[in-house]
Amino acid sequence: MIAIYNTHLNDVLMLITGDNQGEKLTATRQANVAKVMREDNGQVVAWNFFDASTLFPITGNGQVDLSDADVAQLNVAIKAAGFEEVLVPDHAPKFVVGEIVDLVPHPDSDHLNIAQVKISEDETIQIVAGAPNARLELKTIVALPGAMMPSGALIFAGQLRGEASFGMMASPRELALPNAPQKRGIIELAASEIPGTAFDPAKHWQK
């Protein structure tokens, strides 16, 4: 669940809850709440809350963090508008340390690899990537589904040339780190880093 607030959009809080995968969208607005759905299957992929600052204080522009109390207020607004859906808070970090534990060439590409990336003590995910410095046992930063990159790009599970991919391994430039090299390549962390640790620029980037 990605929350985006922009005062230039006249006090609208946008909540992205799913991937539209390029499909056409339709929206239903009731009171100050709009539900955005895919036309093909009716999946709810976003909510817009108008006059959002009347629900709770919001500071800043761009991506914002919502507390459990904030989400509860949004659920009150959803119910008052006549919708039945309920939002569930999600505070899990979306940028974490990952370790490449398996790496094989993509069968339908001359530059992509299929990596198995450990993102916690008991979870490994598959990521398709083209980073030239990807290698076994490399520790790097993984953007998980539900992440919003500094560029505004949203990360969702998908497929690359027919192979499932559940996130991306990020470069210093993609993470908007200071003095990031402009060449291709994912960020390389110390071997002592622990998979699942939340990304901390002050700790993981000191150039």
Side-chain angles (χ1 to χ4, degrees), residues 114 120 124 127 137 151 190:
I114 302 173
S120 72
T124 298
I127 297 177
E137 300 183 351
S151 66

Side-chain angles (χ1 to χ4, degrees), residues 109-174:
S109 171
D110 60 1
H111 69 282
L112 294 175
N113 292 307
I114 302 173
Q116 305 302 319
V117 185
K118 184 177 181 180
I119 58 168
S120 72
E121 184 62 33
D122 56 2
E123 185 176 6
T124 298
I125 60 174
Q126 178 167 292
I127 297 177
V128 179
N133 60 330
R135 61 183 184 274
L136 285 176
E137 300 183 351
L138 175 66
K139 303 285 182 66
T140 189
I141 296 298
V142 175
L144 299 172
M148 180 176 176
M149 303 298 292
S151 66
L154 306 179
I155 304 301
F156 291 107
Q159 290 193 345
L160 284 176
R161 296 202 177 185
E163 296 291 338
S165 187
F166 297 94
M168 69 173 284
M169 294 181 284
S171 71
R173 181 174 57 181
E174 290 166 328

Side-chain angles (χ1 to χ4, degrees), residues 9-11 28 39 57 70 75 81 84 99-100 105 114 121 147-148 151 158-159 170-171 194 201-202:
L9 296 179
N10 298 319
D11 198 16
T28 301
E39 283 190 354
D70 295 338
N75 279 325
E84 298 181 352
E99 178 184 4
I100 300 175
I114 302 173
E121 184 62 33
M148 180 176 176
S151 66
Q159 290 193 345
S171 71
I194 299 174

Side-chain angles (χ1 to χ4, degrees), residues 177-179 187-189 193 200-207:
L177 296 174
N179 301 314
I187 187 171
E188 299 191 24
L189 305 179
E193 291 294 338
D200 179 354
K203 176 183 178 183
H204 295 126
W205 184 255
Q206 300 178 3
K207 292 189 177 181

Side-chain angles (χ1 to χ4, degrees), residues 16-175:
I16 300 169
T17 58
D19 184 7
N20 70 332
Q21 298 179 324
E23 296 293 335
K24 292 183 178 180
L25 301 176
T26 184
T28 301
R29 178 172 176 174
Q30 297 175 185
N32 277 346
V33 180
K35 179 171 66 172
V36 183
M37 301 160 288
R38 288 174 49 161
E39 283 190 354
D40 60 336
N41 60 13
Q43 177 191 356
V44 179
V45 296
W47 295 88
N48 289 337
F49 297 88
F50 301 90
D51 296 329
S53 61
T54 64
L55 299 174
F56 49 81
I58 306 177
T59 58
N61 286 294
Q63 186 173 12
V64 295
D65 293 324
L66 300 180
S67 67
D68 288 352
D70 295 338
V71 175
Q73 283 296 107
L74 295 179
N75 279 325
V76 169
I78 287 173
K79 184 176 181 180
F83 296 110
E84 298 181 352
E85 289 81 1
V86 176
L87 301 173
V88 178
D90 178 11
H91 301 300
K94 301 306 179 187
F95 294 89
V96 301
V97 174
E99 178 184 4
I100 300 175
V101 295
D102 189 52
L103 190 69
V104 298
H106 192 295
D108 190 33
S109 171
D110 60 1
H111 69 282
L112 294 175
N113 292 307
I114 302 173
Q116 305 302 319
V117 185
K118 184 177 181 180
I119 58 168
S120 72
E121 184 62 33
D122 56 2
E123 185 176 6
T124 298
I125 60 174
Q126 178 167 292
I127 297 177
V128 179
N133 60 330
R135 61 183 184 274
L136 285 176
E137 300 183 351
L138 175 66
K139 303 285 182 66
T140 189
I141 296 298
V142 175
L144 299 172
M148 180 176 176
M149 303 298 292
S151 66
L154 306 179
I155 304 301
F156 291 107
Q159 290 193 345
L160 284 176
R161 296 202 177 185
E163 296 291 338
S165 187
F166 297 94
M168 69 173 284
M169 294 181 284
S171 71
R173 181 174 57 181
E174 290 166 328
L175 295 169

